[in-house]
Amino acid sequence: MARILMKGNEAIAEAAIRAGATNYFCYPITPQSEVAEYLVKRMPEVGGVFLQAESEIAVANMILGASCTGKRVFTSSSSPGISLMQEGLSYMAGSQLPCVVLNIVRGGPGLGGILPAQSDYFQAVKGGGHGDYRLLVLAPSTIQEAVDLTMLAFHLADKYRNPVMILGDGMIGQMMEPVEFPDSYSEPELPPKDWAATGASDRDPLIIRSLFLDPTTLEENSIILHKKYEQAKKEEIRFENYKVKPSNKVLIVSYGTMARICQTVIDDLEPEGYSVGLFRPISLFPYPEVALRKEATRKNIESVLVVEMSMGQMVEDVEKAVAGARPVNFFGRTGGIVPTPEEVKDQIKKLIKKKSRRGRPAKKRK
Amino acid sequence: MAQYEVTWAGFGGQGIMVAGQLLAYTGIEEGKQVVWIPSYGPEMRGGTAYCTVVVSDSRIGSPIINNPRAACVFNRPSFDKFGPKVRPGGLLLVNSSLITATTDRTDITQILLPANRIAIDAGSPKVTNIVMLGAFVGATGIVSYNHLKETLKVKLGKKKGLLEVNLKVLEEGYNRGKAESKGKLRA
Amino acid sequence: MVAETLDELNLRERTCGIAPVGCSVLAYNYFNCDFLEAPHGRAPALATGFKRVRPDMIVFTYQGDGDLASIGMAEIVHSANRGEKFTTIFVNNAIYGMTGGQMAPTTLEGQITTTSPIGRNVQQTGQPVRVAELLSTLNTPAYIERVAVHTPQNIIGAKRAIRKAFAYQAAGTCFSLIEVLSTCPTNWGLTPDEATAWLQEKMTPYFPLGCFKSPESDEDSDGPV
């Protein structure tokens, strides 16, 4: 199919439809309202459900109810709205219900701003709501990747019977890039949805719930969830290396659109003689811990630099992966300010200078 | 041409976003990588609205461009904001119908174009952005004129009458841009 | 009575109930149809999501006064206003039962609860909320009736209303809500007999029984008939 120019929010919305998610519930919030504006026109064409709810609390519970039918459901929001959805997401994880949630992250905390940020990392990858559960989290860095990951997200949601989050930032939502949709959508076969509430006509009644007052049963449920997350750690690790090679002295770790800015940094520094590589996690949960450790502990790597649009959140997962084998440094801007390539370049030059200075004999320093 | 970045800036209603998108569409038709990124939010109300288009032969890294190779400015606030940001050796295309100021910079090429006047003379003030688009492509040649014309026919072809005006001013803009730049900006 | 109705109307096999948080949190143990369990107050949102995707199924929520009239007020008002075609059974016993007898939005003036130990002070906590009346002010067509279950005669009336509500849903007509005044002897600190009398003497004057709104006639929305 031909490449077409689409805004991120619209491309993701179209991808959801292509993946068979014809049930969408929403509440308006900048910078992702184009998703709703696109789907309100598109849903009737495919006979789907579009509903604007009274709040994000209601949205999360509508997708909870809708997901119980066994049909694919989708919602989108931005940071403050995602906070309101945590109740429903916790219930869905506890009840083992699939759904896909798009979070076009804006600066926080509180009402914050509306410009791009990555400050919802903790909320996204550590559970977000109450209880022992995780969301599977995917972070695209281009619009094409956002399309591909959105389609994958619906498959993973069904495969693991768990909510999956697409974590983008304002840039992913607002910018336009060429995208290609596959001519036909196909995915590996999934088990039948015998857990869905379809009416007790030819089977015993079923109950979809996360309430287990008996502690043994509740523990059993948490163990089932845990096993699914362990399986995801084996099967759903996704990342990309950019110019990672033996000569690298610094390894940048960055995700989403921030990683693209780091690519520019690496390209610009190359002719100046700095050898820098980029490790870009695509699945933020499960986190590509083992792969990162391998790249970060290559012989010539002197230090690791984590770059985020936050005050430092993913850096904790990088520290865990590197486990003290190399120094882990952090650079970030937040509140909607996007680090410029120049700022990141300065950080790298400082790191490399610091390192080489230390190696010089003392007398030459005077 | 490895990568070319251009910022389009003016106030809402001047067709800034559309001009950028038409350029991006044309880039796609030529098999290039493109990114179109708008300003959004409170900045959109009053002051300046702007978007940046990146056209490249290879994978595009940062979509955020602080110092583009060109800026096409439609009003005074945009001139003030983006004039100083153009990279040395780059182009500042100024809508001189609304901007009386000129830049003191000697390290960039400045083209003054009475875009509103040209548009009105051709029959519609709405096509100011197309005058500027034509001039930009004329001056830089980052996409071919014929492909750009095709894009206009596809994207703006619904209103037949207006399309003719659009094509007319595109050509006039193109010729003026080409003549003013004297070929030195060609990528 | 709900289960009975579902069988009588031959709807059970295509019904999905939604349990709230409150006294009826375990409602699914007493029904022979599919059931979902909702977060506190959100049953109408689940019902909306489910019914929109499966309009061919019968969906009902079973909610108490804390669940529906306090934490879930937004969800029920907006579901009713959108005219979602499910049925809500709203059990009003003027108290939080499951958590042990705290003040509810429907607790009567002067009524003693664990969080209003000297009686509800309406100066500070507002007047008891009349849900049936409140929802009847919405312009969207609906069937809304208040019934009670403290006498055999009332039980017959309640059954008739519940049956009517599910019939409206089965025909795809409108949103329906049956407010059921019910006793809570345990938390009221009364014997069952005393509780029945208390419901009649104290609750029914403030919460009058009757049909507040029906899809056939808009005039009904002015008050009980």
Side-chain angles (χ1 to χ4, degrees), chain A residues 23 49 51 54 57 61-62 65-66 68-69 87 91 197-201 203 205-211, chain C residues 12-13 25-26 28 32-37 39 42 45-46 48-50 52-54 57 74-75 78 82 84:
Chain A
N23 305 288
V49 172
L51 185 62
E54 65 270 25
I57 296 177
N61 288 287
M62 284 174 185
C68 291
T69 64
E87 173 189 64
Y91 276 69
T198 51
S201 57
R203 55 157 171 76
L206 59 78
I207 301 161
I208 299 179
R209 61 172 166 167
S210 60
L211 174 72
Chain C
R12 184 189 66 82
E13 292 188 349
V25 66
L26 297 173
Y28 43 70
N32 199 20
C33 62
D34 285 358
F35 242 89
L36 323 177
E37 174 224 79
R42 318 288 177 233
L46 267 77
T48 298
F50 194 100
R52 290 267 178 158
V53 177
R54 288 294 306 269
M57 283 185 70
E75 284 76 12
H78 285 282
R82 286 190 302 262
E84 300 293 345

Side-chain angles (χ1 to χ4, degrees), chain B residues 15 18-19 21-22 25 126-127 129-130 133 148-167 169-170:
Chain B
V18 173
Q21 284 171 10
L22 290 169
Y25 284 123
K126 283 183 187 166
V127 299
N129 59 340
I130 305 299
L133 179 62
L148 184 62
K149 226 161 66 179
E150 285 309 306
T151 304
L152 257 68
K153 283 180 191 165
V154 173
K155 295 292 169 187
L156 308 176
K158 274 184 198 155
K159 292 178 188 165
K160 278 277 177 286
L162 201 57
L163 178 65
E164 277 169 33
V165 182
N166 272 316
L167 291 174
V169 296
L170 184 76

Side-chain angles (χ1 to χ4, degrees), chain A residues 185-257:
Chain A
Y185 176 67
S186 68
E187 61 185 296
E189 205 175 320
L190 289 161
K193 293 183 171 178
D194 52 7
W195 48 265
T198 51
S201 57
D202 50 0
R203 55 157 171 76
D204 288 339
L206 59 78
I207 301 161
I208 299 179
R209 61 172 166 167
S210 60
L211 174 72
F212 303 99
L213 290 172
D214 169 23
T216 322
T217 327
L218 179 55
E219 190 187 41
E220 274 167 17
N221 193 57
S222 294
I223 290 169
I224 292 171
L225 302 189
H226 182 74
K227 280 186 181 156
K228 293 196 297 188
Y229 305 141
E230 289 303 308
Q231 184 193 345
K233 283 180 188 173
K234 290 194 190 87
E235 297 174 19
E236 314 303 341
I237 295 291
R238 290 174 170 84
F239 62 93
E240 187 191 44
N241 283 334
Y242 182 75
K243 295 194 177 169
V244 169
K245 47 194 173 192
S247 63
N248 291 161
K249 286 197 163 173
V250 172
L251 182 73
I252 298 180
V253 187
S254 189
Y255 71 96
T257 33

Side-chain angles (χ1 to χ4, degrees), chain A residues 105-108 115-120 169 171 254-255 258 261-262 305-313 330-344 346-347, chain B residues 66:
Chain A
V105 182
R106 51 189 257 185
L115 295 174
Q118 295 183 321
S119 40
D120 294 358
D169 53 60
M171 280 182 280
S254 189
Y255 71 96
M258 192 61 236
I261 295 166
C262 294
L305 176 67
V306 182
V307 187
E308 296 179 66
M309 289 188 270
S310 78
M311 294 306 288
Q313 300 194 10
F330 173 75
F331 178 71
R333 297 294 305 268
T334 192
I337 296 174
V338 180
T340 62
E342 288 68 31
E343 285 175 314
V344 182
D346 287 348
Q347 294 297 315
Chain B
N66 297 306

Side-chain angles (χ1 to χ4, degrees), chain A residues 305-328:
Chain A
L305 176 67
V306 182
V307 187
E308 296 179 66
M309 289 188 270
S310 78
M311 294 306 288
Q313 300 194 10
M314 182 180 74
V315 63
E316 292 187 8
D317 283 335
V318 176
E319 280 168 346
K320 189 168 160 242
V322 177
R326 292 290 185 282
V328 173

Side-chain angles (χ1 to χ4, degrees), chain B residues 71-102:
Chain B
C72 303
V73 294
F74 286 55
N75 66 358
R76 182 63 198 258
S78 307
F79 172 88
D80 293 339
K81 185 168 182 175
F82 294 101
K85 289 191 176 175
V86 175
R87 215 184 305 164
L91 164 70
L92 181 63
L93 179 62
V94 178
N95 174 15
S96 59
S97 295
L98 299 184
I99 305 166
T100 49
T102 54

Side-chain angles (χ1 to χ4, degrees), chain B residues 26-158:
Chain B
T26 311
I28 291 183
E29 287 309 310
E30 296 188 352
K32 296 187 163 95
Q33 298 295 324
V34 301
V35 171
W36 173 93
I37 188 162
S39 58
Y40 69 92
E43 293 172 303
M44 282 164 72
R45 296 181 190 93
T48 54
Y50 63 94
C51 67
T52 300
V53 179
V54 185
V55 182
S56 176
D57 290 329
S58 53
R59 172 168 160 166
I60 296 169
S62 174
I64 301 278
I65 307 293
N66 297 306
N67 300 103
R69 284 176 63 176
C72 303
V73 294
F74 286 55
N75 66 358
R76 182 63 198 258
S78 307
F79 172 88
D80 293 339
K81 185 168 182 175
F82 294 101
K85 289 191 176 175
V86 175
R87 215 184 305 164
L91 164 70
L92 181 63
L93 179 62
V94 178
N95 174 15
S96 59
S97 295
L98 299 184
I99 305 166
T100 49
T102 54
T103 184
D104 300 335
R105 287 181 64 174
T106 53
D107 59 343
I108 57 173
T109 302
Q110 178 176 238
I111 296 179
L112 305 176
L113 186 75
N116 282 68
R117 173 52 46 207
I118 293 169
I120 291 164
D121 288 350
S124 171
K126 283 183 187 166
V127 299
T128 306
N129 59 340
I130 305 299
V131 180
M132 294 285 276
L133 179 62
F136 167 74
V137 171
T140 63
I142 68 159
V143 293
S144 92
Y145 176 62
N146 282 336
H147 285 142
L148 184 62
K149 226 161 66 179
E150 285 309 306
T151 304
L152 257 68
K153 283 180 191 165
V154 173
K155 295 292 169 187
L156 308 176
K158 274 184 198 155

